[in-house]
Amino acid sequence: MQRCIQLARSAAGYVAPNPMVGAVLVHENRIIGEGYHQQYGGPHAEVHCVNSVKEADRHLIPQSTIYVSLEPCAHFGKTPPCADLIIEKKIPHVVVGCRDPFKQVDGKGVEKLQAAGVQVTMNVLEQDCKDLNKRFITFHAAHRPYIVLKWAQTANGKIGGETGGERLLISNDYTNRLVHKWRSEEAAILVGTNTALFDDPSLTTRLWKGANPVRLVVDMNLRLPSSLQLFNKQVSTIVFNSLQHEEQDNLLYYQVTQDVNLVHQIVHALYQLKIQSVLVEGGAQLLQSFIDEGLWDEIRVITNNEMVVQHGLPAPRMHTGRLHKQEQLFSDTLQYFMNPQTLVL
Ligand code: AOF
Ligand code: ZN
């Protein structure tokens, strides 16, 4: 199963919004086939795995066990059901990493296999297999995107300058690059009005190889100038606002109502738009709203241990949060927190 996960990961960045999946075929402790879902729209892991078996080993397939990191599918999508392939190839035993919460599968793959007399062993290295596809699984099981909150703070917990709003260059060159990597791993990046206005971020991944996520900005009264970098047409941008709902070029104006439930409305809109994950990059107010509503899965805090500002804007306050990992990147400390309440994992 570890090998399945390793294989699956080779497709990182190529299969979203599909999950990463790996499969290994084993005959008497010898791997005779391997495969993974390589590309969105392409054959599933099981297909590549079965096809990889050498001619000389083909007769062993009906005496082998197939390990798959995700429940084999039961539906006709872009490809035929993997459960049917397993049945057709007379593979007697399937070991599954975790259930597939996608509505068209969701236990039906396992049922189909069992109904055909295939032995199924469930949930082997389940945590790791879910973690591999935490975005896909959260999206389909919780009907919302996977939410990552991120901020950089000074040693004394400030995220803005002396007068509150002004920009502070807190993180170092290495953490800046890391943030671009983080961006490339999510489907969308969200910022609030003031962050867009004062920081004028382009919200691209120019310091890292990889796709640019969709940019999201909250601008309730449409007062942000079109000269902001966010509005350049390189990447599509969604503007959450209370005034209009229309699409033009790479811009989508998404109408929401002026009320306390703004973050819930945004999260719901992202689900409707099939956006599986979002990185919320600020400002403090928007981050705090997500925290107060309990709408987050991970929080990543970058702390510059050498910078202290006397007044300034305080960093958001976390109510719950389990420190999952802590590391040092030159002068910055990185802390990764997980939300014990929303953990689908
Ligand atoms: C598997 N093995 O390797 C993958 C699965 O549009 P399609 O036909 O590619 O189907 C996509 C869905 O299939 C996806 O949402 C997920 O439920 C499942 N992915 N299943 O048996 C695989 N990638
Ligand atoms: Zn499949």
Side-chain angles (χ1 to χ4, degrees), residues 18-19 21 37 41-42 44-46 70-73 75 77-79 82 100 102 105 136 140:
N18 272 358
V21 184
H37 183 43
H44 288 180
E46 297 88 327
L70 186 75
E71 174 183 2
C73 66
H75 69 297
K78 294 181 189 67
T79 63
C82 293
D100 180 351
F102 179 55
V105 185
F136 171 85
H140 290 288

Side-chain angles (χ1 to χ4, degrees), residues 44-105:
H44 288 180
E46 297 88 327
V47 176
H48 284 300
C49 176
V50 168
N51 289 345
S52 75
V53 179
K54 285 186 195 138
E55 200 52 51
D57 287 333
R58 293 224 144 234
H59 68 286
L60 299 174
I61 296 178
Q63 296 138 45
S64 300
T65 295
I66 189 166
Y67 291 76
V68 196
S69 58
L70 186 75
E71 174 183 2
C73 66
H75 69 297
F76 285 87
K78 294 181 189 67
T79 63
C82 293
D84 288 356
L85 174 74
I86 292 168
I87 295 165
E88 185 199 314
K89 296 289 172 193
K90 302 191 167 53
I91 300 171
H93 187 193
V94 183
V95 179
V96 177
C98 68
R99 184 184 174 110
D100 180 351
F102 179 55
K103 200 163 76 267
Q104 298 197 59
V105 185

